[in-house]
Amino acid sequence: MIKLPPSRVIITVAQTGALVTKAMNPHIPEQPHEIAASAYECYNEGAAIVHIHARDKDGKTTGSADIFRDIHEKIRRKCDIIIQDSTGGGANLTIEQRTECLDAYPEMASLNMGTLVRTMGEATGTPFMNTRADIEAFVKRMNQFGVKPEMEVYNLSMLQEVNILIEKGLIQKPYYVDLILGMAYQGALEANLMYFSTYLQYLHPDAMFNTLGVGVAQTTYATMGMIMGGAVRVGMEDNIYYRKGELATSNAHLVARIVRIARELGKEPATPEEARQILGMKSLKG
Ligand code: KMH
Ligand code: ZN
């Protein structure tokens, strides 16, 4: 694997997701103005990337390029944070609807590296489909749009899918892989150190990694990820609590906490422009 420069950490904030609702945590940003305002707060705290899911007026997950475009424009009026859209979408979206966000020209997009079966919420028992053919179709579309994929890996077999995309020449270096832990509820790996170190052992030598601990695993594995030279992802998409029994009151609080920990480890949060350079992406300055 490729490690980040030791004095830097790239922080992604995933603010909204597809599963969480205001009934679970009233502070989840759902509407474009809420998502943009929260992204700006997170940027001010040190986030370099914002991972975006869009919702319609009723708070339902949508693939609408118009809504994604509105969110992007509102964020861009305020700051240069890297915009990463979700192509994971939600259970209500078709495969085609999941890639509509690319028409809104994000800089990055998530690319889910295999199929899982939902075990939570109304869609329990339905597959979250990401066949090899789907993955290739998604990545080809991203390549057409010049979008850098963040490959979402939920278990060890998905690392093989990463290697297959590399062998087929479908992605560019440095490869960027999100290692997900603690999402046992969807057939994904639970968070433990053995799994984390096995992920790292089998990660492609030209790949950088992001560490995503779900729920209670978020802060612990973000810290561990930084120590191991990775980027980190925090936010209410995957963790609605600040600590046990206490709901998070903003995404920015979760970013601020990980920045404090990073500084204790001798790392500064990478600015969006530094992150673009590290990840081999185009500068916004041209
Ligand atoms: N919530 C993460 C575990 C996506 O949006 O494409 C997975 C995720 C995938 O963020
Ligand atoms: Zn997501």
Side-chain angles (χ1 to χ4, degrees), residues 14 17-18 51-53 84-89 98 109-112 128 150 152 154 178 180 183 185-186 212 214 233 237-238:
H51 170 87
I52 297 173
H53 288 252
Q84 179 192 96
D85 286 345
S86 167
T87 65
R98 283 169 46 194
S110 60
L111 178 63
N112 291 275
F128 173 34
E150 174 182 274
E152 311 295 328
Y154 300 76
D178 192 25
I180 299 165
M183 217 186 74
Y185 58 84
Q186 218 159 261
L212 167 51
V214 176
R233 171 170 144 174
E237 169 169 342
D238 305 295

Side-chain angles (χ1 to χ4, degrees), residues 150-257:
E150 174 182 274
M151 290 172 275
E152 311 295 328
V153 164
Y154 300 76
N155 60 44
L156 292 165
S157 71
M158 294 193 196
L159 278 184
Q160 289 166 211
E161 297 297 327
V162 172
N163 293 344
I164 288 167
L165 286 190
I166 293 171
E167 280 160 24
K168 291 190 171 173
L170 288 169
I171 43 174
Q172 282 78 48
K173 288 185 200 171
Y175 315 122
Y176 195 49
V177 180
D178 192 25
L179 301 175
I180 299 165
L181 289 156
M183 217 186 74
Y185 58 84
Q186 218 159 261
L189 283 182
E190 62 176 48
N192 71 45
L193 259 184
M194 293 300 283
Y195 284 144
F196 185 42
S197 59
T198 312
Y199 264 154
L200 296 181
Q201 191 183 347
Y202 286 101
L203 193 62
H204 192 280
D206 292 319
M208 290 182 173
F209 70 97
N210 194 12
T211 312
L212 167 51
V214 176
V216 72
Q218 189 162 90
T219 311
T220 318
Y221 281 84
T223 306
M224 224 105 69
M226 286 193 281
I227 292 169
M228 296 309 290
V232 301
R233 171 170 144 174
V234 294
M236 291 199 263
E237 169 169 342
D238 305 295
N239 170 33
I240 57 172
Y241 292 98
Y242 189 80
R243 58 172 72 85
K244 196 169 171 29
E246 184 185 323
L247 288 176
T249 52
S250 75
N251 280 291
H253 285 162
L254 297 173
V255 173
R257 172 166 60 190

Side-chain angles (χ1 to χ4, degrees), residues 8-142:
R8 289 289 178 276
V9 60
I10 297 174
I11 299 170
T12 296
V13 63
Q15 312 191 102
T16 307
L19 277 176
V20 289
T21 61
K22 283 197 191 273
M24 295 172 184
N25 183 326
H27 304 289
I28 299 289
E30 287 185 345
Q31 296 308 311
H33 68 280
E34 295 174 320
I35 292 174
S38 174
Y40 185 52
E41 280 175 28
C42 293
Y43 161 82
N44 283 326
E45 293 295 346
I49 302 175
V50 58
H51 170 87
I52 297 173
H53 288 252
R55 304 284 182 95
D56 66 14
K57 293 248 172 321
D58 302 320
K60 221 165 153 204
T61 297
T62 174
S64 161
D66 286 341
I67 298 183
F68 274 98
R69 215 171 281 120
D70 188 21
I71 296 168
H72 296 180
E73 282 167 11
K74 286 185 163 59
I75 292 174
R76 269 297 166 267
R77 266 182 234 145
K78 292 285 207 181
C79 65
D80 70 343
I81 194 165
I82 296 173
I83 292 178
Q84 179 192 96
D85 286 345
S86 167
T87 65
N92 59 324
L93 301 188
T94 62
I95 291 266
E96 291 73 31
Q97 287 168 330
R98 283 169 46 194
T99 52
E100 273 177 37
C101 59
L102 299 178
D103 293 330
Y105 293 103
E107 298 174 87
M108 298 180 84
S110 60
L111 178 63
N112 291 275
M113 297 306 291
T115 297
L116 297 166
V117 177
R118 299 186 177 91
T119 57
M120 245 180 70
E122 284 173 7
T124 295
T126 65
F128 173 34
M129 287 302 286
N130 299 286
T131 65
R132 190 172 293 168
D134 296 332
I135 297 168
E136 289 188 13
F138 273 50
V139 82
K140 283 179 183 160
R141 193 105 202 270
M142 289 183 199

